[in-house]
Each structure stands twice: as structure tokens, then as C-alpha cells.
Amino acid sequence: MKQQGPANLLEMLTYIIAVQIRDHSIVYVGTGLPMVAAILARKTHAPNITLVYESGGQDPIPGDMPWSVGCPLTWRKSPVLMEMAYSFGQSFNGYVDMAFLGFAQIDMYGNVNTHQIGKDLLNPTVRLTGSGGNNDLSSLTENMVLVGLQTPERFPERVDFITSVGHLDGGNSRREAGLPGNGPIAVLSQWGVYDFEPASKRMRVKSLTPGVNFDIAQQSTGFELLRPEGEIPASPMIPDDILNILRSEVDPRGVFTTMPS
Amino acid sequence: MSTYSYNEDALRNLKIEDTSILDRLVDFESARAAHLKKERGKIDKRMDLKEAIATFVDDGDVLSDAGFAYVRTSHQAYFEIMRQGKKDLQVIGAPNTNQSYMINYGTVRYSHNSYIGAEMRGTDRNYSRQLKNGKVGILSEWSHGGVALALKAAQLGAPGLFSKQMLGSDIIKYNPYVKVMQNPLRDDPDPVAFIPAIYPDITIIHAHAADKYGNAFIYGPVVNDTALAIATRKLIITAEEIIPESSFRHNGRKGVVIPFFYADAVVELPFGAVPGNMPGYYYWSRQWWEKTMRLASPDEERFIDHFNYWVMESKDQFDFVEKLGGAKWIAEARRQTKSAEGDNEDIDFSYKEYNINDDPGIYY
């Protein structure tokens, strides 16, 4: 479907993800908006990034939007096509700078749940996908960025199941559990950009989508958000020329960037 | 059979009392014994799919999902397993998407989970329902990397590997096999996860081409399949075509070869990965997966009707391809995969999402 008019929330979010990506970096992407954002970054400010996909593709040439991480578009003319264990090893060994993944729930310490809604694994309210590569990347990657829609249910005080450790119980607990890397450095939602306070490792507002204030963000969160010092900056809005690239070149059929009706 | 010391917390959390059900997956001695008994000679191992499944898939086996969910997975062989009424399989894989529809028929009874679902096609509401109805039991939870390393350990000939995956997570509380230990080489606290080598009973790998001895050629993502070929006790190779052995010796092919001596059976099975994607040959049927995940999955009766029509009432993969749209579907699926791979950039990649009010008759 051809989209027109001002940017919708998913398009705004895509841009916020894309600007996190530095040129000349190795970026690991999951299905959905992260994939769209990485391709947008490559077509705009970061043409020299190397994309890594879980099913084995590395550095594919851009094509249409992949429908899954196993899609041929994730290994289109890739110089190398590796086995599954390789790309996780690559993260552990320090050859992935940043990874982007989604979540069903995320808590105040950036722990992620993609397993289930409900506490009982043997009898959940809803069983979800389970880990896939989510745990591996959260465990091993230097800098994790987590992306998803923000509601109080999706941002609970404690996730129903820790699929992937973020900052675990805060403080130094991630490292004490034996995990390398910085853990999650950012959480991106339609309402804002969040980071983690350096000592407690609790989620903190970094910037908010224009028109959104702290109270709105707090009302969409199931735990107490930390406030940064001073005035909260507005997240960058997607400029018209980049919105145009997103709509015409990156996701022309709005597969991932059309708001559900 | 050896004795094992499983993670006690996980046994309690998973409510597993009789642990013998867990042993097969990590029983190295019986896997090695099975490997030692395999045919060494270059003999013609060709047979038809029905015979291969009847001979090599036993009730209660640990079946590994292969390929990547719907990429180069031997779906049509899984469908034949269902048609033959095999029972009580355990499934492991990374991902293990394809166990779900086999649960409804009693074919699969137990899961070693890493990933359930079909990515952008949505969460797997059928699996969720089967779990809540007690039709499937969970024997272990894993990350993709955890399963990949467990298979890699088997391939490399190691009893296990130490890794940093899964530490601190709830996955470890539901995995009887993975143990958190202190890194033996360090004095300061350094937790590591010991991931044991795993050995499925039966693996079916769909290849682009194979010779009659079982040398099998794969192009595109290999995922975990070279490790699976070595770890598994029994291996069926299904292939789009059978080619002479000489073409393995003088080939300029880009891809991976699985050597013949791992294979127990070779099945010529064109369209064996349908309704999935076979790199270079055909793209996956997006509309079929949409219909399955969004329309059939939420309701038990609809789901059974759907799989009865597509699987139980199809006698082979050719029936299935006819239902997808026959030659027209094949031509379009070939154009799409070539487009996705960059071998044919001029075609339109768009399609219409599946809609019950506008069933296309051809499932692009």
C-alpha cells in the first residue's frame, strides 16, 4: 500500500532506530523494523555498514524488503554465507558492534521476554516464540538496542520470563552472571528513546517523540521511569527527504511501516 | 545406556520425573555405535519417500528440524511422516518451527524448544493451544545459539562446549542439559554454560542434488545441517534431483557437500521443500503460510481441516504443488526466488496477502 502524508509512528520509530547506526560498523539485525531501519541507514547516512543475519548471510547487496531472516534477500550475493553458530561467535569475539532486536515484554533493567505471557512455562496465557537468537545476541553483543511498541503491559516491572538478560537485577549483576559486553544501551519505542542510568542500570528517558511528555511516557510504562537531569530533549523527527526514501525505496509496499488498521 | 546428572531445578520446573526420556538426545555411546554400524561401501541407497520414512523413522525418535524453518526444509518428508501415523516424536532444532502441525496428529509429543513460529507471519497460536491442552510436553528450552553449539560440539567430536550464552536467563531454569559452572582456568569468578553435544535419532536434509550414494549438495544457508548430518543416528537425504557422482568431483558449484557415508537413504524428491523456499529453485508460498498462521491456527477445527486437506489428503508433493496452483505457481515461485537472490532483478516482487474473501486459487 502506497503511503502518503506525515510520518506515522512506525516510520518515526524506523528513523529513530536508523540514526543509532554509525557508518562503518557491523550491525546484526532481527526481523521487522530493525531490518527496515538498517536498510534505511545504509541508503542514507551509513552506506558502509555490514549487515549480519542469523540464518548466515553477511553483507548482502540491497534488494527488496526481506520477509524473514531466512529470506534470500538476507544473503543476496553475499560474499560469505555462514552457519548459524558462526554469527553468534562473531558477536562474542567482538566483531559485531551493535545488534537490534524486538521484544514482547521488557522490564526496568532491560531484560527481555519473547517466551510467553503468563508465568507458567507449562501452562502460559499465551506461548510466544521463545528465544531464537534473541538470548544469544543479548548475551554476547557489545551494544544491544531493543525496539518495540510501548504499553504498560509490554513494559512491566518484571518480565514474565527472562528470555534474554539485559542488566538482570541492575548494578553489576549482568557481569556477575558471567555475561560480556555493555548489555542494552538503548530502548526505542514510539514514545521515546530510553537509556540506562549507569549505576543502577534502571531505564531512563533520554528523549521523547515530539508532542510526548514525561507523564505520557510514564503512563505507558508499568514501572517508574527515571528522568534525566534538566529538560528532556525531543527525539529527532524524520526529515521529508528521508521519509521519501523510506517510502519509495526501502519499504515501498509498507510491509513493516504501515500502521495496523 | 549411560547415566546422566541433569539440572535438578530444570527437572523440577518442567515436572519431569522419569528422566530416561531425556537420555537419547545426549547419549554419545549409542550414537557412536549407530555410526559405526553404518554402511561404508558406495552402494545405491535410493528408495522412494514412503519406504525411507517407513524404514528409518521410528515411534518415539528424536527428530531434528533442519534447514531454517521454511528455507530448504524437507516439509514433504515431514508430511509423509504424518501420513504414516508415526507417533510420539521429540523435536529439536534451531528453529523448530515445523513441530507444531505434527502435534495435532500425535506425530510429535515432546519439544526441545528454541524458536516456535513463522516470524512476520505471526505467533504460533496452534502450538500455544496444544501446550495448554497438554498435547505437547516441553523437555527443554534453548536459544538458537545453544542448539547450534550443541550440534557443533557433536560435529567437532567434543563432549560439549563452554559458552556465555543463556547465563542468568530463565532458559537455563528450563533446560536439564545445560549447566552453569565456574571457568576452570580462571581464579576470579567467571560463570560459563556447559552445553553438551547432542545426537538426534533422525534427520532429514533436503538438498539441491544428491548422487545415489548420498553425497548431497546444498546451496544457500546451511544453518546447522552439516553438524546435523554428523550428529544424527539416522540420516535421510531428500533431493531435488539425482546427479552422477562425477559431478561432485569436477564441480564448480558454490555451496556445501555432505559426504555420502553419513546418509542411510537417498530420496529423489523434487519440490520436497514446498511450501518453503528452495534457494535457486522456488520461493516460499507466502500466502499459504499466511492462511496457515492467521486463518487456520487460531481454531482447532479449522486447523485440522486445513492440514487434512493439504497434507493427509495429498498423496505426495505433486498433489500439494497442484493445490498451490501447479505449473503457474512453480513459474512464479522460481521468478521470485531468483529475484530475491539477485539473479533476476526485473520482476515485480509484490503480491497480495492472503484473504479468505478473495482466495486466489494460486498461493503465491
Side-chain angles (χ1 to χ4, degrees), chain B residues 225-294:
Chain B
D225 287 4
T226 47
L228 275 168
I230 296 167
T232 191
R233 292 181 181 80
K234 298 174 283 187
L235 174 65
I236 298 172
I237 297 289
T238 59
E240 290 285 327
E241 60 177 332
I242 303 297
I243 55 174
E245 190 209 15
S246 60
S247 64
F248 284 90
R249 296 184 181 274
H250 312 289
N251 74 72
R253 291 167 187 268
K254 187 179 173 188
V256 168
V257 172
I258 294 172
F260 74 96
F261 45 82
Y262 300 121
D264 294 286
V266 177
V267 177
E268 184 175 7
L269 195 68
F271 304 107
V274 169
N277 166 227
M278 192 64 182
Y281 288 10
Y282 41 87
Y283 199 63
W284 51 314
S285 171
R286 288 172 282 188
Q287 290 175 331
W288 188 88
W289 285 97
E290 278 159 6
K291 188 175 188 183
T292 303
M293 300 301 288
R294 295 174 186 167

Side-chain angles (χ1 to χ4, degrees), chain A residues 31-33 35 54-56 61-62 64-79 81-85 88-89 92 115 119-133 135-136 139-140 159-165 168 175-180 253 255-256, chain B residues 13-15 68 70-71 94-95 113-117 119-121 123-124 127-128 131-132 138 141-146 148-149 152 155 164-171 174 190-191 219-224 226 254 277 279 283-284 286 290 337 339-343 345 348-351 353:
Chain A
T31 324
L33 281 190
M35 229 155 45
E54 183 182 351
S55 59
I61 62 163
D64 208 297
M65 207 56 234
W67 282 81
S68 98
V69 295
C71 179
L73 288 155
T74 68
W75 48 271
R76 191 179 218 234
K77 304 293 177 201
S78 282
L81 186 48
M82 312 305 291
E83 296 180 10
M84 182 180 269
F88 299 134
F92 180 68
H115 261 81
K119 303 276 186 192
D120 185 354
L121 184 97
L122 301 181
N123 188 21
T125 309
V126 185
R127 169 73 198 207
L128 304 172
T129 59
S131 170
N135 172 281
D136 304 296
S139 297
L140 305 177
V159 289
D160 289 345
F161 188 99
I162 300 181
T163 304
S164 306
V165 170
L168 199 54
R175 196 143 291 250
E176 282 161 7
L179 295 170
R253 281 182 294 286
V255 174
F256 295 99
Chain B
N13 293 337
L14 291 163
K15 300 191 167 69
F68 189 88
Y70 29 67
V71 180
N113 283 328
S114 64
Y115 184 90
I116 301 157
E119 298 177 80
M120 297 313 289
R121 291 304 172 287
T123 54
D124 185 342
Y127 185 87
S128 192
L131 178 63
K132 287 195 277 192
I138 298 176
E141 285 287 329
W142 300 75
S143 67
H144 266 178
L149 283 182
K152 194 52 82 175
Q155 177 189 359
K164 288 288 190 179
Q165 274 119 304
M166 298 183 278
L167 292 169
S169 75
D170 287 342
I171 296 175
Y174 294 89
D190 186 32
Y219 150 75
V222 175
V223 196
N224 297 302
T226 47
K254 187 179 173 188
N277 166 227
Y283 199 63
W284 51 314
R286 288 172 282 188
E290 278 159 6
T337 206
S339 169
E341 291 169 38
D343 287 340
E345 296 198 50
D348 183 0
F349 206 68
S350 66
Y351 86 113
E353 291 200 11

